[in-house]
Amino acid sequence: QIPLSRGEALRLASPRLASPRVAMPQMWEIVGGADKGGILVRDGQDLKSHALEERLSTGAEVEETGQAGDRLKYRLKSGSGPPEGWISIRISGKELALPKPSGEVAAPAATVGAGEGG
């Protein structure tokens, strides 16, 4: 028999550890734009692409669907603003959006209970 490493033995002993892990999408919180009613959203990655009329609200939570440098493609999960688009995560050293720690996912509005959310 071939000796197993401790990690291999644990993985084989626990079905939960043996199952493949599915990466959760990165969630972001919008922290900029409080003085302007939210942050600017564009319909494309390029900074010269069409700016949408509606802004993404400060405090909104978005799911990352793509990223290119300091540009983030998102899907809105909570808060107000366009349902999807491209935003800058920082401008001139000022953070506009911050990644949320893993495991902190916004609850859909329909499932928030009476005692949750403040």
Side-chain angles (χ1 to χ4, degrees):
Q1 287 191 22
I2 300 173
L4 297 176
S5 70
R6 183 173 181 210
E8 290 171 322
L10 286 173
R11 184 175 48 82
L12 293 173
S14 172
R16 192 178 114 233
L17 293 175
S19 63
R21 293 188 57 174
V22 176
M24 295 293 294
Q26 177 64 57
M27 300 298 293
W28 294 74
E29 181 176 359
I30 306 308
V31 295
D35 57 336
K36 297 179 181 173
I39 65 173
L40 186 67
V41 178
R42 295 187 180 274
D43 64 6
Q45 176 184 336
D46 194 290
L47 289 170
K48 295 179 183 174
S49 63
H50 174 72
L52 302 181
E53 191 172 319
E54 188 178 10
R55 289 178 170 258
L56 186 56
S57 67
T58 304
E61 292 183 7
V62 299
E63 176 185 323
E64 177 182 324
T65 60
Q67 188 172 1
D70 283 348
R71 301 286 291 156
L72 179 76
K73 186 175 184 182
Y74 77 88
R75 181 174 300 120
L76 183 64
K77 290 298 180 183
S78 70
S80 63
E84 57 185 31
W86 284 86
I87 59 170
S88 292
I89 57 177
R90 72 181 59 83
I91 292 181
S92 303
K94 182 178 180 180
E95 300 293 331
L96 301 179
L98 294 173
K100 294 182 69 75
S102 296
E104 286 189 31
V105 178
T111 63
V112 174
E116 296 179 29

